[in-house]
Amino acid sequence: MRAWADWVKKKNQSLGFVPTMGALHAGHASLIYRAKKENDKVVVSIFVNPAQFGPHEDFSRYPRPFEEDRKLCASLGVDALYHPSSEDIYPQGYRTYVNVEGLSDLWCGRFRPGHFRGVATVVLKLLQTTFADRAYLGEKDYQQLMIIRRMARDLNLPQRIIGCPTLREKDGLALSSRNQYLSPIERAQAAILYRSLNTAAKKIKSGETVSRALSSARRNILSVPQSKIDYIALVDGESLEELKTPRPGARIISAVWIGKTRLIDNIKLV
Ligand code: PAF
């Protein structure tokens, strides 16, 4: 990977980077299109990062359709695919982790202890190895995006971290590799998440209190059998601190279980 990145740099070409865990979908493809538009060369990484999964999470069953992913990348004109093994990233004796304090303990961090430490560590390693100029990440994982931006600023990384809009199915469900865990009935029910966020955002914009708007979103979501809410909150768009009243750039962020599948989504209040 390094040798190829050096070769790109020697030719004075810019390099865009799309970090992924594979099981690529149209959301990833949109990141690749953007990276291709803004750079001379594009590298995609596929690595299911063990350090960001808790002991009882879905690491072993996370989908790994490598051949399909490889073909999709080739058809989209990706110049290099970086597919390291766990030993490449975490060789024996590996001891160094990155923790973006505070931001990593909020929201998803409360329910997935250690998750963002694993994300920040692997993304830093991937940025160091690919030598990219720009990294492209989806806004669906909004807390992840804010943590990676903070890390890049705090550690003076040369890369620009670029957030790209969430892609959605027709009924509003945000595209995610984990959607394939949903049964057909759950898949239909899962649309409730975006619908509820959207309605809450509209109510807040038209003057309803944040607490009333979010309470009714919670009731809507919980009307789906087997659903559970980890959190739904209005937050500052950068610090992710909870807000009781709206302000420019604020977002409603959420994590919800439909059956055994945990979905996250967020929406900007404009
Ligand atoms: O969003 C993801 O797919 C992963 O968290 C990432 C950024 C590739 C790090 O493993």
Side-chain angles (χ1 to χ4, degrees), residues 43 77 165 182 215:
V43 54
L182 297 164
S215 296

Side-chain angles (χ1 to χ4, degrees), residues 10-270:
K10 275 205 189 92
K11 296 203 298 183
N12 251 337
Q13 291 190 322
S14 59
L15 182 55
F17 171 45
V18 181
T20 82
M21 298 207 300
L24 304 180
H25 48 67
H28 296 112
S30 73
L31 304 179
I32 295 172
Y33 291 135
R34 171 100 184 255
K36 278 192 69 74
K37 215 162 79 191
E38 297 178 357
N39 300 276
D40 298 313
K41 293 273 189 292
V42 171
V43 54
V44 171
S45 68
I46 296 184
F47 177 61
V48 184
N49 174 31
Q52 70 186 75
F53 288 81
H56 305 295
E57 293 185 351
D58 55 344
F59 175 68
S60 54
R61 73 174 180 129
Y62 197 86
R64 291 165 171 85
F66 181 71
E67 253 325 284
E68 280 168 47
D69 289 345
R70 193 189 61 73
K71 284 190 189 133
L72 180 70
C73 287
S75 74
L76 293 173
V78 168
D79 299 284
L81 191 55
Y82 180 41
H83 184 43
S85 67
S86 283
E87 292 68 39
D88 291 330
I89 301 288
Y90 304 112
Q92 254 219 324
Y94 189 87
R95 286 288 176 273
T96 307
Y97 292 87
V98 183
N99 190 31
V100 180
E101 292 185 3
L103 270 184
S104 298
D105 306 319
L106 302 170
W107 310 116
C108 278
R110 285 216 306 272
F111 295 89
R112 305 186 68 189
H115 169 67
F116 289 119
R117 172 184 183 258
V119 169
T121 301
V122 82
V123 171
L124 178 61
K125 290 204 66 160
L126 294 169
L127 290 172
Q128 302 280 54
T129 315
T130 57
F131 256 15
D133 298 292
R134 300 180 186 86
Y136 296 82
L137 291 132
E139 284 180 350
K140 182 184 76 74
D141 298 86
Y142 192 75
Q143 186 173 6
Q144 165 174 285
L145 176 62
M146 290 305 109
I147 286 173
I148 292 171
R149 280 219 174 115
R150 187 73 255 170
M151 172 181 76
R153 249 181 264 153
D154 289 354
L155 298 181
N156 309 104
L157 301 184
Q159 285 89 5
R160 276 194 56 206
I161 307 298
I162 297 170
C164 304
T166 303
L167 251 64
R168 299 183 179 281
E169 303 279 7
K170 277 206 181 74
D171 63 2
L173 178 66
L175 296 191
S176 162
S177 306
R178 287 189 168 99
N179 291 352
Q180 55 188 279
Y181 296 155
L182 297 164
S183 70
I185 294 176
E186 290 169 342
R187 167 61 197 84
Q189 292 168 333
I192 190 80
L193 177 54
Y194 179 66
R195 262 208 314 274
S196 306
L197 293 184
N198 211 8
T199 309
K202 281 190 184 137
K203 285 183 178 169
I204 294 170
K205 268 189 286 177
S206 59
E208 187 158 318
T209 65
V210 171
S211 100
R212 277 176 71 98
L214 294 185
S215 296
S216 102
R218 278 189 200 99
R219 274 196 306 278
N220 278 339
I221 292 166
L222 293 175
S223 71
V224 168
Q226 318 289 334
S227 66
K228 197 180 90 182
I229 298 175
D230 277 355
Y231 62 82
I232 171 161
L234 181 73
V235 299
D236 178 81
E238 203 169 320
S239 69
L240 304 184
E241 74 174 282
E242 187 162 12
L243 300 175
K244 300 284 175 225
T245 52
R247 68 166 71 141
R251 292 219 168 218
I252 304 178
I253 60 169
S254 61
V256 163
W257 291 84
I258 303 287
K260 289 191 161 51
T261 305
R262 187 174 188 273
L263 302 173
I264 57 174
D265 202 353
N266 67 87
I267 187 171
K268 189 173 180 183
L269 279 195
V270 269

